[in-house]
């Protein structure tokens, strides 16, 4: 069987609109073929129309609709990078902040972490993906979301502080030190973010050993829980 036939047969197994990361496919299925040969076949298939290029290195089998060729939507792309069961990544940025009612502001650019990409960063249309070597189970996702909020809350436009307080009070129930240790080995969160997490946990008397990530002689710009409670009194 020729290299071209082998590659084409493999691609034919993909359903229409399914994201095809050419480098990932090559690494997993065709590393015995010279890389230039593989990408030459992919280029020829694109020219012939059996593949459509979405962005650099990212393709799909096109779908023909009533009004012409249909390309993958934002949902299709995110489903690939986050996993059909949502266990391969997590959306961050303004989509995350909006999800928890921290702001009504939205962004045209979607940002996410994913364990699916081979590079450190990837941009597909309006979606920016960063690599994270994590098993994204529900508790890990909740912890990453909390860390992202604590890292960025001072920069969130039109921040709803009442919603922020409510979010923090609910989120601490997901705190798991073993999961945090795994996250810290894979991702570089700033020390002021960890210091803010410690401040919140200490405020609610949640046992933790986050001091191991901090410099005992340094002062960090952390979230002020007393102030947050003062300006968002419970009704």
């Amino acid at each position: 069987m020729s290299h071209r036939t082998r590659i084409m047969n493999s691609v034919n197994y993909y359903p229409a609109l399914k994201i095809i990361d050419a480098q990932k496919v090559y690494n997993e299925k065709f590393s015995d073929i010279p890389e230039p040969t593989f990408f030459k076949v992919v280029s020829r298939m694109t020219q012939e129309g059996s593949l459509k290029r979405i962005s650099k290195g990212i393709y799909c089998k096109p779908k023909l609709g009533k009004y012409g060729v249909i390309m993958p939507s934002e949902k299709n792309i995110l489903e690939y990078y986050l996993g059909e069961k949502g266990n391969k990544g997590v959306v961050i940025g303004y989509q995350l902040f909006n999800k928890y009612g921290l702001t009504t502001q939205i962004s045209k650019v979607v940002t996410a972490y994913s364990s699916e990409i081979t590079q450190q960063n990837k941009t597909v249309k309006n979606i920016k993906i960063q690599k994270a070597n994590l098993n994204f189970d529900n508790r890990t996702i909740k912890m990453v979301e909390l860390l992202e909020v604590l890292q960025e809350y001072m920069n969130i436009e039109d921040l709803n502080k009442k919603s922020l307080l409510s979010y923090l009070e609910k989120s601490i129930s997901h705190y798991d030190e073993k999961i945090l240790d795994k996250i810290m080995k894979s991702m570089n969160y700033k020390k002021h973010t960890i210091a803010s997490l410690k401040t919140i946990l200490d405020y609610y008397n949640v046992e933790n050993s986050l001091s191991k990530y901090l410099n005992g002689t340094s002062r960090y710009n952390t979230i002020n829980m007393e102030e947050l409670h003062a300006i968002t009194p419970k009704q």
Side-chain angles (χ1 to χ4, degrees):
M1 184 185 297
S2 69
H3 293 331
R4 174 179 168 83
T5 300
R6 183 180 160 198
I7 295 167
M8 289 182 66
N9 287 346
S10 178
V11 169
N12 285 335
Y13 279 104
Y14 285 84
L17 303 183
K18 181 74 173 181
I19 301 300
I20 301 172
D21 185 321
Q23 188 64 58
K24 192 170 188 291
V25 170
Y26 173 77
N27 293 344
E28 293 178 352
K29 298 182 178 181
F30 299 103
S31 58
D32 59 315
I33 297 175
E35 192 168 339
T37 300
F38 172 81
F39 281 97
K40 186 175 181 180
V41 173
V42 170
S43 179
R44 180 63 62 85
M45 293 176 70
T46 304
Q47 292 171 11
E48 294 171 350
S50 56
L51 281 179
K52 285 288 185 181
R53 182 179 182 274
I54 302 170
S55 65
K56 185 178 180 181
I58 305 297
Y59 302 83
C60 74
K61 284 174 59 180
K63 181 178 181 180
L64 292 177
K66 183 177 180 180
Y67 300 105
V69 175
I70 299 173
M71 293 293 283
S73 64
E74 180 182 288
K75 180 181 177 182
N76 296 136
I77 297 169
L78 281 174
E79 187 176 81
Y80 172 78
Y81 287 106
L82 303 183
E84 293 182 2
K85 296 181 180 180
N87 61 345
K88 294 182 179 180
V90 59
V91 171
I92 57 175
Y94 271 85
Q95 280 70 24
L96 168 63
F97 308 148
N98 200 266
K99 171 184 174 181
Y100 290 111
L102 306 183
T103 180
T104 56
Q105 295 294 315
I106 57 175
S107 172
K108 293 181 179 179
V109 176
V110 180
T111 52
Y113 290 121
S114 173
S115 59
E116 277 296 288
I117 64 172
T118 54
Q119 310 93 324
Q120 285 302 118
N121 298 280
K122 188 77 179 175
T123 300
V124 183
K125 290 189 172 181
N126 67 315
I127 302 172
K128 293 186 176 182
I129 308 113
Q130 300 175 53
K131 186 172 182 61
N133 293 315
L134 290 170
N135 175 26
F136 283 95
D137 55 47
N138 184 62
R139 292 185 72 85
T140 300
I141 288 173
K142 294 296 185 183
M143 281 294 299
V144 170
E145 288 180 336
L146 175 57
L147 289 167
E148 287 295 314
V149 169
L150 292 177
Q151 184 134 294
E152 300 295 335
Y153 79 94
M154 288 184 288
N155 302 317
I156 299 175
E157 294 183 22
D158 299 328
L159 175 65
N160 184 320
K161 293 184 177 180
K162 183 176 182 180
S163 293
L164 174 62
L165 178 60
S166 176
Y167 169 77
L168 295 176
E169 289 177 337
K170 293 174 182 176
S171 293
I172 58 171
S173 64
H174 301 290
Y175 178 70
D176 186 311
E177 197 132 314
K178 290 182 179 179
I179 289 176
L180 179 67
D181 288 341
K182 291 179 181 179
I183 292 172
M184 293 300 290
K185 288 177 182 177
S186 176
M187 304 166 78
N188 295 316
Y189 282 103
K190 296 176 181 177
K191 288 189 181 295
H192 75 75
T193 300
I194 304 305
S196 282
L197 177 57
K198 179 171 174 53
T199 295
I200 297 165
L201 295 174
D202 290 346
Y203 185 85
Y204 290 108
N205 298 313
V206 177
E207 186 177 347
N208 68 88
S209 59
L210 293 184
S211 296
K212 64 186 177 182
Y213 294 112
L214 304 172
N215 186 331
T217 61
S218 297
R219 297 189 67 180
Y220 301 98
N221 184 17
T222 65
I223 194 165
N224 188 320
M225 294 303 294
E226 288 81 4
E227 182 179 284
L228 195 57
H229 269 281
I231 60 179
T232 56
K234 293 182 179 180
Q235 300 299 319

